[in-house]
Amino acid sequence: MRNIQLRDAKAKLSAVVDDALAGKPSVITRHGKRAAVIVGYDDWRRVSKFPSFGKLLMAMPVDAGDIPPRRRGALRTPNF
């Protein structure tokens, strides 16, 4: 994926869109920070169909007895 400044993307929008349609997305930067991504519509549709992780968890069929009770003891020391 290539980075392109906003002013350059404006000047070459047709070429940026052609690249996206050819499967080469571009990251648009504004003031040196990533601001947007230009991808082809088919790629966007394919990616946007997947549900978020939170929605997957909320849709999981769980009964009250499936989740173990939370331990209220002392916190564990992390092993870094």
Side-chain angles (χ1 to χ4, degrees):
M1 213 177 323
R2 72 176 177 156
N3 290 336
I4 185 169
Q5 294 179 1
L6 180 59
R7 69 171 181 253
D8 295 334
K10 287 180 183 180
K12 301 175 185 177
L13 182 59
S14 182
V16 173
V17 170
D18 288 343
D19 287 347
L21 292 174
K24 302 175 201 167
S26 298
V27 175
I28 307 298
T29 60
R30 176 187 271 174
H31 306 295
K33 295 181 182 178
R34 294 177 176 173
V37 177
I38 304 293
V39 295
Y41 184 74
D42 291 337
D43 291 338
W44 176 80
R45 293 253 330 192
R46 182 178 47 82
V47 173
S48 67
K49 288 182 181 179
F50 293 104
S52 69
F53 184 65
K55 286 183 181 179
L56 287 174
L57 286 178
M58 295 301 291
M60 190 172 86
V62 178
D63 291 327
D66 291 340
I67 301 173
R70 185 175 175 187
R71 292 188 300 164
R72 298 284 181 183
L75 297 177
R76 295 182 299 160
T77 304
N79 298 333
F80 292 114

